[in-house]
Amino acid sequence: MSKTTTYSRAGLKAVLTLGVGLTALAAAQMPAQAQETNDDDSSRTLQTVTITATKREQTLQDVPVAVSVVDDTVIKQSQIADLNDLQSLVPSLRVGQLQSSANTNFIIRGFGNGANNAGIEPSVGVFIDGVYRSRSAAQIADLPNIQRVEVLRGPQSTLFGKNASAGVISIITKQPEYEFGGNVEATVGNYNQFRVAGDVTGPITDKVAYSLAANYNTRDGYAKDLNTGADINGRDRWGARGQLLIEPTENLSFRIIGDYDKIDEICCVTANVVNGATGAAIQALGGQINPESPYSYEVYNNFNSTNKIENSGLSIQGDYEMGFANLTSITAYRTSKLVTDQDSDFTSADLLSRNANNTDIDTFTQELRLTSNGTGAIDWMVGAFYFDESVDIANQITYGSDIRGYIDLLSSGLLTGLEPVVFGVPAGTFFQPGQGMTEAYGQDDSAFSLFGTVDYHVTDRLTATLGLNYTQDNKDAYGTVVSTDAFSAIDLGALSPYISQATLGGLLQQAGVDPTNPAAVGGFAGAYPAVFAQMQAVAAGATSGLQQLQFFPQFVGFPNAVETGSTNDDDTTYTLRLAYDVSDNYNVYASYATGFKASSWNLSRDSRPTAAGYAGLVAGGLNTPNLTTGTRFAGPEEAEVFEIGLKAAFDTLAFNVAVFDQKIKGFQSNVFTGTGFALANAGEQSTQGLEFDATWNATQNLTLGLAGTFLDPVYDSFPDSASGDISGQKPFSISEVSTSASAVYTFNFEGLDAFVRGDWQYEGPATYFDDPADQALIGEEREFSLFNASLGFQSDSGISVLFWGRNIFDEQYISVAFPTTAQAGSLSGYPNQPATYGVTVRKAF
């Protein structure tokens, strides 16, 4: 066991001891009457929180699942505008925005993937009003009219089927009401932020109610492109949402929801974190880099990025009370359209003229479930879920006008000399503007699940739960690439002897020696042995050096005569749980659950045949020069977790503690390699950990909150990663310690209801790379502390004013780092958002 692992496990034991101590202390300090049944909740100062993420209405303290809830009051007080902000309140959740507004990754307990590649569905399922959102582009929008957000931690496949192997984020919006009312708000902030939002609800008839909500959000970017003059990382987005609630009878209701949102932004700022040796070549071309100054928020690009996203959808939920059970149907159709273009060399030199992507995703889902009314000794639920989705991607990446000069500088003119001598083409043939790759990818995915749960109330206090889910998932994928990059198609290995000989001859000519005259060469070698030895070394390494310049890999389209382009997966997942009410204040539970995520296809230029597939392509004469092996797809993920939890609730104190051992076999790792993404299955990734959260009304006016997650993550087995065998290594980007704390003080000011709130988020050290060489280049780990604060006033007339600030002490860190495209030895990264602040005025009516 490594020293780091020893320390982390020791720390975990300390935290466990602390959790047990807190439990004992709380029990000892509670008044005697708090230990007794209290049917009158009027004495409580903590609200009872009701959740539905388990598809059955339960209180937060009664549900035997590790879940965090953020309600609308906290969302408003904390000025949480989108899902990125949630992580400041839920330590187990990490949200990372990558190179565009459409690429966001959700991670729970250190597990999660799905960004950057539309073929990879997330391991964390996102649901809005019961409707599954399959991609990150369909998950990011301002949150309109939110009632609460529930974050379920650990595998949730029993109830949610596919793609919940790491957890679930469930967002619930407010349904229409029969009493007319609404809210309107406006926000102004730094960077010229202006945001307006509003909603209105009311009756149409005594059996039909409606609600309408809309939001518009604009803000200048907090970063500046010194070449184009554009602001980067601004806001330009709007959305609308309409609902109808139809209740023709007391037992039957329908909820119809339609929504549309649009994003059109210049995103995202990509800073130079490590300036490698290629930086000098960029500057020699007249290009500019802001070297190793990520927190200046000043960069150079030769054109502005395009990020246009449109999401729309329609869903119909029907609920019918049948007496013995309730029948629920949720039908939904959604579309997501993404258009991006990016200067992917991140300099003002025109190395890459475009990296354009058009992605269209159409999704249809249908859920049916029948839930018992909960009046007997057995509660049960049975259901089915159907999923049908098509993904179509068109991508193009091409060289720019400076690429040839850049290559000549990197090769010291070697390539120009070799073109006519070795490759038999005129000098200047390779690396011409417009050369590159035109790509088309896609997949059709159809899946269904059958699921059921049974809760057997053994006694009034002991409940045993069994949950089962059977999922079948079928995918048909395709990939077609047309490459005009002639140099990347050359088999340099076969020409290695000629390349070495020509290179040595060129170096001798530069030294004034005729390489065709053996006597002259021998004389030079005898007179200058060290110089000649260096020339020989350069010549010997010329082939490998030129291979580094084959940026765009060769590709064989699929399906083909050898590869079917299809995967068919099925799995049965289950949950076993015992929950015991120790008293009216304490609940404990122990559970074992499994999770499943189907195969994911690598819909990118790094999609590679397996070794067996490559052999078949060679045998069939279908291989191309320089085609390498890898993966077309990553096989299924299979998760399991053993968890023990304690939940406690008193008049002024509530706290939860969960200890877990969670692992995913076949974790689908998707790593950026500099020109594309390598998709591979880890043998096994596991995490042992502890989570806790507590809320305490210290006084009638003061409420304190504290939450934390402590993890001990490791790749138990990952011999075939993009970075080699990293078995036994801690996975990158996962912090062992994540905590948050909050304090809210309410008071009366000149007849106004007022509050002041502060919250703090800390994330411990985490590496940026699995690859030790890249991590050594950056030489630091990500660690940060963020502070947010707000001050609010509300009048009896429903007018409120909120003064707020996020990251008020302007903490700086790189959220994600990666190898810079076509610039070996350089690293780029995304600096975090600096301090923001503003004023929000709301009116309820």
Side-chain angles (χ1 to χ4, degrees):
M1 182 179 296
S2 68
K3 186 176 183 180
T4 301
T5 302
T6 302
Y7 287 162
S8 60
R9 293 188 185 276
L12 185 58
K13 290 180 180 178
V15 174
L16 283 168
T17 304
L18 173 62
V20 174
L22 285 173
T23 304
L25 179 63
Q29 291 184 343
M30 288 301 102
Q33 62 268 27
Q35 307 288 338
E36 299 173 359
T37 302
N38 187 359
D39 295 329
D40 182 8
D41 282 347
S42 61
S43 63
R44 293 179 59 86
T45 58
L46 284 178
Q47 286 186 326
T48 299
V49 179
T50 301
I51 69 170
T52 56
T54 56
K55 301 188 178 182
R56 183 189 293 274
E57 192 170 281
Q58 294 175 281
T59 66
L60 176 62
Q61 291 306 125
D62 288 337
V63 62
V65 175
V67 56
S68 299
V69 178
V70 181
D71 63 18
D72 62 332
T73 299
V74 175
I75 288 172
K76 291 177 180 178
Q77 288 182 349
S78 304
Q79 194 63 15
I80 292 177
D82 57 35
L83 292 181
N84 286 287
D85 297 331
L86 277 180
Q87 59 190 329
S88 64
L89 302 174
V90 183
S92 292
L93 172 67
R94 184 166 184 269
V95 183
Q97 182 167 292
L98 305 178
Q99 80 270 23
S100 77
S101 305
N103 281 286
T104 299
N105 214 16
F106 301 94
I107 297 172
I108 294 179
R109 292 178 173 175
F111 298 101
N113 52 24
N116 290 305
N117 191 326
I120 305 173
E121 294 167 281
S123 298
V124 176
V126 175
F127 294 78
I128 300 180
D129 290 325
V131 176
Y132 176 54
R133 302 291 187 97
S134 64
R135 297 297 189 284
S136 60
Q139 297 162 356
I140 298 303
D142 285 15
L143 300 175
N145 210 16
I146 293 298
Q147 183 171 331
R148 66 184 179 276
V149 179
E150 303 170 2
V151 180
L152 284 77
R153 307 186 293 270
Q156 305 296 328
S157 295
T158 299
L159 287 179
F160 294 93
K162 57 181 284 171
N163 307 330
S165 57
V168 163
I169 300 172
S170 178
I171 301 169
I172 297 92
T173 67
K174 296 176 182 177
Q175 70 176 19
E177 300 177 1
Y178 286 97
E179 182 177 350
F180 179 77
N183 295 273
V184 63
E185 68 175 65
T187 297
V188 294
N190 60 335
Y191 302 109
N192 290 321
Q193 181 184 15
F194 177 66
R195 181 181 184 273
V196 291
D199 63 89
V200 61
T201 187
I204 296 177
T205 70
D206 61 346
K207 297 183 182 297
V208 180
Y210 76 93
S211 70
L212 297 172
N215 61 85
Y216 172 74
N217 191 353
T218 181
R219 188 195 69 199
D220 292 344
Y222 56 78
K224 190 77 172 178
D225 191 317
L226 299 181
N227 189 48
T228 68
D231 289 331
I232 308 175
N233 279 48
R235 284 284 185 266
D236 189 356
R237 53 184 64 179
W238 66 274
R241 184 179 176 90
Q243 298 190 55
L244 282 177
L245 178 63
I246 305 172
E247 299 178 303
T249 69
E250 290 184 358
N251 299 329
L252 179 63
S253 68
F254 296 96
R255 187 181 182 189
I256 304 172
I257 304 174
D259 66 272
Y260 176 85
D261 63 78
K262 184 175 182 178
I263 296 175
D264 186 357
E265 299 170 349
I266 300 175
C267 181
C268 297
V269 59
T270 306
N272 178 273
V273 180
V274 174
N275 187 27
T278 57
I282 299 292
Q283 292 173 325
L285 290 170
Q288 293 176 297
I289 302 173
N290 193 0
E292 302 183 0
S293 301
Y295 307 120
S296 68
Y297 298 97
E298 294 178 338
V299 296
Y300 293 91
N301 294 282
N302 55 290
F303 65 90
N304 295 325
S305 296
T306 298
N307 289 274
K308 296 181 179 180
I309 307 163
E310 293 184 53
N311 298 306
S312 61
L314 177 68
S315 67
I316 302 174
Q317 176 172 335
D319 293 283
Y320 180 52
E321 297 180 8
M322 304 171 64
F324 73 99
N326 300 326
L327 177 65
T328 297
S329 169
I330 303 177
T331 307
Y333 176 75
R334 300 204 58 81
T335 65
S336 180
K337 299 182 183 300
L338 164 68
V339 178
T340 66
D341 195 4
Q342 184 185 54
D343 181 16
S344 291
D345 58 69
F346 311 117
T347 74
S348 67
D350 189 19
L351 305 184
L352 295 175
S353 64
R354 61 187 283 119
N355 184 9
N357 178 283
N358 285 43
T359 299
D360 290 340
I361 302 175
D362 297 315
T363 307
F364 172 80
T365 57
Q366 172 65 60
E367 181 177 359
L368 284 171
R369 64 176 183 267
L370 190 65
T371 308
S372 67
N373 60 19
T375 58
I378 295 179
D379 293 330
W380 52 266
M381 179 193 302
V382 293
F385 179 77
Y386 176 73
F387 174 91
D388 187 85
E389 181 176 80
S390 65
V391 178
D392 291 290
I393 305 168
N395 196 79
Q396 187 177 42
I397 184 167
T398 56
Y399 290 130
S401 59
D402 289 330
I403 188 65
R404 179 65 196 203
Y406 178 65
I407 295 301
D408 282 339
L409 286 168
L410 292 185
S411 67
S412 300
L414 172 63
L415 182 60
T416 298
L418 292 177
E419 282 175 319
V421 174
V422 175
F423 304 121
V425 297
T429 296
F430 301 133
F431 295 100
Q432 289 301 302
Q435 292 181 353
M437 306 179 82
T438 300
E439 308 160 77
Y441 310 99
Q443 73 176 19
D444 292 320
D445 181 5
S446 61
F448 74 89
S449 298
L450 301 174
F451 61 89
T453 62
V454 176
D455 295 327
Y456 174 48
H457 305 292
V458 182
T459 69
D460 289 343
R461 294 189 178 275
L462 178 63
T463 299
T465 299
L466 170 64
L468 290 173
N469 182 297
Y470 173 78
T471 295
Q472 185 176 82
D473 192 300
N474 302 319
K475 294 180 179 179
D476 295 309
Y478 69 88
T480 302
V481 175
V482 177
S483 175
T484 56
D485 178 15
F487 185 70
S488 290
I490 294 175
D491 185 355
L492 296 176
L495 297 173
S496 182
Y498 308 102
I499 292 172
S500 298
Q501 182 180 358
T503 300
L504 181 58
L507 294 173
L508 287 169
Q509 282 183 328
Q510 291 178 10
V513 179
D514 181 2
T516 64
N517 185 337
V521 173
F524 178 81
Y528 306 99
V531 175
F532 185 69
Q534 186 177 9
M535 289 180 175
Q536 288 178 310
V538 171
T543 299
S544 61
L546 290 174
Q547 287 172 336
Q548 300 301 312
L549 304 180
Q550 293 182 315
F551 300 125
F552 297 146
Q554 291 296 288
F555 194 91
V556 170
F558 66 92
N560 52 55
V562 177
E563 300 168 296
T564 65
S566 298
T567 51
N568 300 285
D569 303 313
D570 65 275
D571 194 69
T572 299
T573 58
Y574 58 93
T575 297
L576 302 172
R577 183 168 56 236
L578 285 176
Y580 183 66
D581 297 337
V582 178
S583 69
D584 293 331
N585 304 103
Y586 287 101
N587 304 325
V588 295
Y589 68 89
S591 67
Y592 177 80
T594 63
F596 167 72
K597 188 174 86 165
S599 298
S600 289
W601 281 84
N602 191 351
L603 303 182
S604 79
R605 68 186 67 96
D606 274 331
S607 183
R608 294 279 179 274
T610 63
Y614 179 81
L617 292 173
V618 172
L622 300 176
N623 64 306
T624 62
N626 298 331
L627 180 66
T628 58
T629 60
T631 59
R632 292 289 195 197
F633 63 90
E637 290 181 354
E638 295 184 347
E640 64 175 355
V641 62
F642 179 73
E643 184 172 313
I644 299 174
L646 165 69
K647 297 194 171 192
F650 305 94
D651 289 347
T652 60
L653 174 68
F655 63 90
N656 308 302
V657 179
V659 181
F660 58 88
D661 186 351
Q662 184 172 332
K663 63 183 65 175
I664 293 184
K665 295 180 180 178
F667 179 75
Q668 295 172 0
S669 171
N670 187 46
V671 178
F672 185 64
T673 59
T675 56
F677 294 87
L679 176 63
N681 286 106
E684 182 174 283
Q685 179 181 338
S686 67
T687 297
Q688 296 178 348
L690 177 144
E691 298 164 326
F692 74 90
D693 62 82
T695 304
W696 179 34
N697 281 140
T699 70
Q700 186 174 0
N701 302 94
L702 178 63
T703 300
L704 303 176
L706 179 65
T709 299
F710 302 85
L711 303 176
D712 184 14
V714 64
Y715 286 126
D716 300 287
S717 173
F718 200 173
D720 298 319
S721 81
S723 305
D725 188 351
I726 54 175
S727 302
Q729 183 174 307
K730 173 186 170 184
F732 81 101
S733 195
I734 301 177
S735 298
E736 295 183 357
V737 178
S738 300
T739 58
S740 66
S742 65
V744 182
Y745 183 74
T746 60
F747 58 98
N748 187 275
F749 178 78
E750 300 293 335
L752 300 175
D753 293 330
F755 75 90
V756 60
R757 176 187 174 91
D759 62 71
W760 165 71
Q761 174 195 3
Y762 170 74
E763 189 166 306
T767 58
Y768 287 101
F769 299 98
D770 278 337
D771 190 331
D774 285 335
Q775 183 59 38
L777 277 179
I778 198 168
E780 63 182 46
E781 296 185 339
R782 185 190 66 238
E783 181 181 14
F784 58 84
S785 291
L786 301 179
F787 291 85
N788 309 310
S790 56
L791 171 65
F793 304 90
Q794 181 171 328
S795 68
D796 293 336
S797 63
I799 297 177
S800 64
V801 180
L802 176 72
F803 301 90
W804 56 269
R806 298 190 64 82
N807 188 18
I808 58 177
F809 296 122
D810 205 21
E811 178 83 340
Q812 297 176 333
Y813 61 94
I814 299 297
S815 60
V816 177
F818 57 91
T820 308
T821 304
Q823 297 168 62
S826 292
L827 299 177
S828 297
Y830 306 116
N832 70 301
Q833 181 170 287
T836 56
Y837 49 86
V839 180
T840 299
V841 179
R842 297 186 176 100
K843 167 64 178 175
F845 56 89

